[in-house]
């Protein structure tokens, strides 16, 4: 009987240990998602600034031609 109880306790301990720490994994996944979203936002902002700079240059050149 003692062996059965000991075996049950051992199986319970192994099954609980194999579950892992889901909360830490979820926090890590959330932090990674936020980091990736921030990176994407930074790239999009840089692209928008570059596009705006390109548009301004074209407009300035056209205005200079018309002024001459």
């Amino acid at each position: 009987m003692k062996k059965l109880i000991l075996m049950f306790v051992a199986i319970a301990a192994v099954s609980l240990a194999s579950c892992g720490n889901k909360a830490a994994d979820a926090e890590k996944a959330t932090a990674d998602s936020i980091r990736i979203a921030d990176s994407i936002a930074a790239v999009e902002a840089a692209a928008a600034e570059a596009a705006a700079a390109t548009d301004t240059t074209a407009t300035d050149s056209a205005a200079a031609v018309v002024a001459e």
Side-chain angles (χ1 to χ4, degrees), residues 38-54:
D38 289 344
S39 297
I40 291 171
V43 169
E44 289 176 348
E49 288 178 11
T54 303

Side-chain angles (χ1 to χ4, degrees), residues 1-2 11 15-16 20 22-24 28 31 34-35 37 39 43 47-49 51 55-56 58 62 64 67:
M1 188 69 172
K2 288 182 181 180
I11 290 172
S15 65
L16 289 176
K22 301 288 184 187
K28 183 178 178 186
I34 291 171
R35 180 182 53 80
S39 297
V43 169
E49 288 178 11
D55 291 343
T56 304

Side-chain angles (χ1 to χ4, degrees), residues 1-14:
M1 188 69 172
K2 288 182 181 180
K3 289 183 180 181
L4 288 176
I5 293 174
L6 182 60
M7 184 178 286
F8 177 72
V9 169
I11 290 172
V14 168

Side-chain angles (χ1 to χ4, degrees), residues 46-68:
E49 288 178 11
T54 303
D55 291 343
T56 304
T57 304
T59 306
D60 292 342
S61 297
V65 170
V66 172
E68 291 178 358

